[in-house]
């Protein structure tokens, strides 16, 4: 291979695999990690997947599909430990390890050839060490850029290795269904199907103008580039975000506040700060906690847990207002309010099915645009209309 040699390594059913190494008796059974009652499935064994259980599916649905599946409560600390140990192994072969999430990394193997031998052997050896030293199965792909490497590791799953040399890229990609393409979620797949495009090859051969009409100029062009196996992205040596316990913001009023309208407005401001911090850390969270401190310094907190994790201002704001309303405070003198989001997860573990191309995700894009403007011009550059009123 000439040019870049990029590997993508992804642990198979990561949370479940960590659980199975301490409960080997569950090996081969349908097992999933997730909340037992109101939660969602976070990770499912391949036997559970064969019964229709998927990540992000409500646990109730999983139980209905497969009543004999074994549900395990998540143990995030154990997973973070396992993840660190795996990254320590990856670090032994190259300086350029880009953590995409706790269980997934890109590695630049371009320069390891002279020192360590053929990249495919380096990668096979890494997988053997991760299994031998950590008891964790993984899959890996090798290609001339990050996109092809990621697609290869996906197709290699579970417990496989797929090498795609540069001259084989289109032979590999084009027969695959469009909905298997990285970044293509349900909505984009639907639009592509409506355009009569079934395979990545169909997509690669479509006139850019057609796609730009359906997805906008930037996304349309990106779809064609990726479908042709072209990806100019350079890896960055970085860790996956450490799992913080919670992210939030609080504010003390200059004078004690009676008026619920002012509290609502402050909650919007705090929700904006909190969601911007979540997105910067690439985290999403499920538990939203409202805290209030009163003029007499007494305080209280109320929490609720969402069915799906979020990093969106409006969702966080709406829930915080709901918690506040439920308290039925009439004339309480509020001194301080705070919002925290807990139950944090890496955003990329949630958005594996995320749709990067669909314009319907306008709200998320708008939110990202506000984040960018705030970074460039300071936190008050762009605000939602209800915050720009005087009060
Ligand atoms: Mg994985």
């Amino acid at each position: 291979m000439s040019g870049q040699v990029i590997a993508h390594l992804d642990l198979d059913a990561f949370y479940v695999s960590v659980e199975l190494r301490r409960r080997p008796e569950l090996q081969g059974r349908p097992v999933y990690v997730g909340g037992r009652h109101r939660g969602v499935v976070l990770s499912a064994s391949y036997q559970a997947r064969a019964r229709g259980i998927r990540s992000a599916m409500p646990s109730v649905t999983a139980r209905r599909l497969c009543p004999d599946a074994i549900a395990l409560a998540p143990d995030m600390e154990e997973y973070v430990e396992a993840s660190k140990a795996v990254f320590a192994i990856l670090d032994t072969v190259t300086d350029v390890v880009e953590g995409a999430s706790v269980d997934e990394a890109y590695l630049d193997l371009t320069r390891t050839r002279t020192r360590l031998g053929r990249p495919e052997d380096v990668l096979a050896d890494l997988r053997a060490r991760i299994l031998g030293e950590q008891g964790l199965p993984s899959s890996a792909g090798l290609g001339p850029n990050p996109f092809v490497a990621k697609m290869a590791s996906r197709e290699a799953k579970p417990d496989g290795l797929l090498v795609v040399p540069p001259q084989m890229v289109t032979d590999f990609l084009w027969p695959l269904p469009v909905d298997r393409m990285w970044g293509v979620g349900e909505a984009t797949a639907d639009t592509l199907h409506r355009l009569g495009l079934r395979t990545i090859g169909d997509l690669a051969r479509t006139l850019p103008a057609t796609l730009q009409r359906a997805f906008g100029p930037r996304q349309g062009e990106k779809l064609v580039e990726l479908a042709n196996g072209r990806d100019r992205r350079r890896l960055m040596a970085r860790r996956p975000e450490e799992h913080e316990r919670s992210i939030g913001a609080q504010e003390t009023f200059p004078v004690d506040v009676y008026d619920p309208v002012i509290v609502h407005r402050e909650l919007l401001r705090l929700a904006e700060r909190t969601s911007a911090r979540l997105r910067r850390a690439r985290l999403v969270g499920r538990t939203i906690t409202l805290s209030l401190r009163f003029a007499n310094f007494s305080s209280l907190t109320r929490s609720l847990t969402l069915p799906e994790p979020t990093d969106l201002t409006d969702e966080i704001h709406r829930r915080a207002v709901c918690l506040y309303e439920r308290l039925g405070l009439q004339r309480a003198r509020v001194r301080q309010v705070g919002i925290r989001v807990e139950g944090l997860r890496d955003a990329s573990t949630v958005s594996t099915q995320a749709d990067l191309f669909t314009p319907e995700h306008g709200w998320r894009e708008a939110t990202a645009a506000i984040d960018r403007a705030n970074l460039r011009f300071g936190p008050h550059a762009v605000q939602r209309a209800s915050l720009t009123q005087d009060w």
Side-chain angles (χ1 to χ4, degrees):
M1 278 188 204
S2 59
Q4 279 202 107
V5 183
I6 304 297
H8 181 260
L9 188 137
D10 194 350
L11 299 167
D12 295 337
F14 176 48
Y15 296 169
V16 166
S17 298
V18 174
E19 296 295 341
L20 289 182
R21 65 184 188 180
R22 53 184 172 185
R23 301 169 208 232
E25 72 279 7
L26 299 181
Q27 202 68 251
R29 309 266 309 268
V31 178
Y32 66 87
V33 170
R36 275 168 214 270
H37 301 292
R38 299 198 299 150
V40 295
V41 174
L42 301 175
S43 173
S45 72
Y46 285 87
Q47 291 78 13
R49 292 181 204 192
R51 307 279 296 270
I53 297 178
R54 295 283 178 273
S55 286
M57 171 184 278
S59 301
V60 257
T61 313
R63 257 200 314 281
R64 202 178 53 228
L65 284 168
C66 185
D68 57 326
I70 296 136
L72 301 172
D75 177 354
M76 289 299 168
E77 276 160 35
E78 183 76 11
Y79 309 152
V80 169
E81 280 313 304
S83 168
K84 283 185 186 155
V86 170
F87 274 86
I89 295 174
L90 302 182
D91 284 339
T92 60
V93 300
T94 170
D95 292 338
V96 188
V97 176
E98 180 182 302
S101 78
V102 284
D103 69 336
E104 184 184 342
Y106 294 92
L107 295 89
D108 191 335
L109 299 182
T110 313
R111 275 178 250 286
T112 60
R113 188 174 346 212
T114 45
R115 194 160 42 91
L116 299 167
R118 296 193 312 156
E120 47 269 58
D121 297 337
V122 172
L123 205 44
D125 184 55
L126 272 179
R127 292 180 56 235
R129 281 180 61 197
I130 292 166
L131 187 63
E133 294 171 28
Q134 289 299 314
L136 298 172
S138 62
S139 299
L142 199 62
N145 60 51
F147 169 73
V148 172
K150 167 90 185 175
M151 291 296 293
S153 82
R154 229 184 223 194
E155 295 305 311
K157 275 186 173 300
D159 197 24
L161 167 64
L162 185 62
V163 178
V164 182
Q167 69 277 13
M168 294 295 288
V169 165
T170 53
D171 287 344
F172 161 62
L173 287 175
W174 287 2
L176 297 174
V178 275
D179 45 307
R180 288 257 274 280
M181 194 165 125
W182 176 84
V184 169
E186 256 173 62
T188 297
D190 285 348
T191 308
L192 293 171
H193 290 159
R194 268 202 305 277
L195 293 169
L197 309 174
R198 298 274 145 198
T199 65
I200 296 180
D202 292 343
L203 182 54
R205 288 182 290 262
T206 303
L207 285 175
T210 308
L211 295 168
Q212 292 179 345
R213 229 174 292 126
F215 298 99
R218 233 191 43 206
Q219 308 289 45
E221 189 189 319
K222 186 151 186 223
L223 274 167
V224 179
E225 284 292 292
L226 294 181
N228 282 288
R230 292 191 290 265
D231 176 13
R232 281 178 223 278
R233 197 170 72 79
R234 294 277 150 180
L235 298 190
M236 287 187 294
R238 65 167 183 228
R239 304 276 92 180
E241 291 294 335
E242 289 287 318
H243 280 244
E244 296 183 56
R245 295 209 156 268
S246 74
I247 281 185
Q250 61 178 37
E251 198 60 57
T252 304
F253 293 111
V255 292
D256 297 340
V257 162
Y258 292 91
D259 187 351
V261 175
I262 295 176
V263 176
H264 282 197
R265 217 174 281 159
E266 189 55 38
L267 288 175
L268 177 52
R269 207 185 295 273
L270 293 172
E272 284 198 325
R273 274 161 55 188
T274 303
S275 67
R277 281 177 195 168
L278 284 167
R279 288 189 297 271
R280 224 175 295 135
R282 299 207 205 170
L283 293 169
V284 290
R286 279 186 61 208
T287 302
I288 294 174
T289 301
L290 167 75
S291 62
L292 294 168
R293 189 176 285 279
F294 301 100
N296 64 3
F297 285 93
S298 67
S299 61
L300 60 78
T301 62
R302 290 289 183 273
S303 300
L304 59 77
T305 298
L306 305 171
E308 302 277 346
T310 186
D311 61 3
L312 293 176
T313 300
D314 275 36
E315 175 95 50
I316 295 167
H317 176 238
R318 201 152 37 85
R319 304 301 179 149
V321 164
C322 180
L323 288 168
Y324 174 72
E325 292 287 308
R326 256 190 242 159
L327 290 168
L329 301 170
Q330 293 305 323
R331 301 289 301 165
R333 289 166 62 197
V334 178
R335 183 185 170 77
Q336 188 185 71
V337 288
I339 292 179
R340 299 203 72 73
V341 175
E342 292 157 287
L344 299 180
R345 297 176 57 195
D346 203 304
S348 60
T349 63
V350 180
S351 55
T352 44
Q353 287 312 104
D355 208 322
L356 302 182
F357 299 102
T358 172
E360 284 105 90
H361 277 202
W363 184 246
R364 190 173 285 273
E365 275 163 30
T367 304
I370 291 174
D371 285 350
R372 280 194 301 276
N374 285 347
L375 278 178
R376 280 182 58 201
F377 306 115
H380 302 296
V382 180
Q383 297 184 327
R384 281 178 176 70
S386 65
L387 280 186
T388 55
Q389 297 159 8
D390 282 327
W391 60 282

